[in-house]
Amino acid sequence: KTRGIPSYIVVPWGAPKCKLAAINTYGGTITQCEATVPAREAAAASIQASTGATMVPPYNDARVMAGQGTIALELLYQVAHLDAIVVPVSGGGMISGIALAAKGINPKVKVFAAEPVGSDGLGADVAASKASGHLVSDMAPPDTIADGLRAKLGDLTWPVVRDLVDGVIPIRDEEIVAAMRLIFERMKVVVEPSGAAGLAAVLSPKFKDDPALADCKHVGIILCGGNLDLEAFFAAYAPKHSHSMDIQSKK
């Protein structure tokens, strides 16, 4: 917007209203589509063909992965003695960059992925890929409140996840909600469901009761994303039968 360069943002239907409002505020042109990777790719390709715009991939791009890796650089600079880092996973750009950077600094640091399983408990394709040793791409995206974690690993992110991510922790939506509430009440920070997935994983029985993770005493948790619609929350505090508040001073 500052440089006067037009931007075209492909957003799936069902995205938080606050995210759409922010994109509009920053001058982006929104195209909405179905919440699937093929639909988003098709919409982006159509925009490229009609505008000549340059594609900026959300995760499956070496430059994006390198940029995400700076999260680990900053984290380990501030807390050098971490035993593990837990990262929400979907397309894998963030966890790939973090794993490469973190293990480049300290090969002993473990990196774990937090992945929602969805309402049917069958949506964890990253966990399935790790378990099988090959990229599983034919699973439906999880039906989850974590709308930012419904993408698929790419041909660049999968090899890094395969080789450098130490494990995948599956989480349920109710665990995500509990983590969001804890963050809100104790830290006074607004985090969207996708961003709270890491804490949900650390608080889950899978993490706490696994003997293989007993040595992970100092854990860094990535909180990523604050696109959370709070209309219902604020409506609960509004006076009954109140009119719109006039915030302009009256003289």
Side-chain angles (χ1 to χ4, degrees):
K1 183 176 180 179
T2 301
R3 295 180 177 273
I5 300 174
S7 61
Y8 307 91
I9 319 298
V10 177
V11 183
W13 294 108
K17 294 179 182 178
C18 61
K19 178 183 287 188
L20 300 177
I23 294 172
N24 280 320
T25 299
Y26 297 137
T29 300
I30 297 173
T31 297
Q32 292 193 261
C33 66
E34 296 299 321
T36 65
V37 173
R40 292 199 295 269
E41 290 178 344
S46 176
I47 293 171
Q48 279 187 280
S50 61
T51 65
T54 299
M55 176 65 178
V56 180
Y59 51 86
N60 197 46
D61 184 274
R63 296 161 297 181
V64 173
M65 294 159 64
Q68 301 278 32
T70 62
I71 298 171
L73 296 180
E74 294 184 25
L75 184 57
L76 291 173
Y77 177 78
Q78 297 178 47
V79 192
H81 60 281
L82 288 179
D83 300 314
I85 302 174
V86 182
V87 189
V89 71
S90 180
M94 181 165 61
I95 197 169
S96 294
I98 287 175
L100 285 165
K103 291 180 181 287
I105 296 171
N106 180 2
K108 295 182 179 180
V109 172
K110 294 182 178 180
V111 177
F112 295 99
E115 183 179 29
V117 297
S119 58
D120 59 5
L122 302 174
D125 63 297
V126 179
S129 297
K130 287 284 288 184
S132 65
H134 67 270
L135 180 60
V136 176
S137 58
D138 58 352
M139 292 177 63
D143 178 18
T144 173
I145 59 171
D147 65 288
L149 302 181
R150 290 170 49 84
K152 298 288 185 181
L153 293 172
D155 61 337
L156 298 180
T157 59
W158 160 238
V160 181
V161 171
R162 179 194 62 204
D163 298 340
L164 297 183
V165 173
D166 295 278
V168 181
I169 303 169
I171 50 174
R172 304 186 309 274
D173 277 8
E174 53 265 36
E175 293 174 319
I176 294 175
V177 172
M180 290 172 64
R181 179 170 182 170
L182 182 63
I183 294 167
F184 188 91
E185 292 179 345
R186 302 293 179 86
M187 297 179 65
K188 319 304 179 189
V189 173
V190 176
V191 178
E192 65 186 68
S194 302
L199 179 59
V202 173
L203 296 177
S204 71
K206 166 71 175 178
F207 190 91
K208 294 190 294 183
D209 300 337
D210 189 339
L213 305 179
D215 293 334
C216 295
K217 302 298 184 182
H218 302 95
V219 181
I221 302 172
I222 306 302
L223 306 180
C224 52
N227 293 302
L228 183 64
D229 287 330
L230 295 172
E231 291 181 3
F233 175 83
F234 289 115
Y237 284 91
K240 299 295 184 181
H241 310 297
S242 64
H243 297 288
S244 298
M245 183 169 50
D246 184 0
I247 62 173
Q248 295 181 350
S249 60
K250 297 182 179 179
K251 298 181 181 180

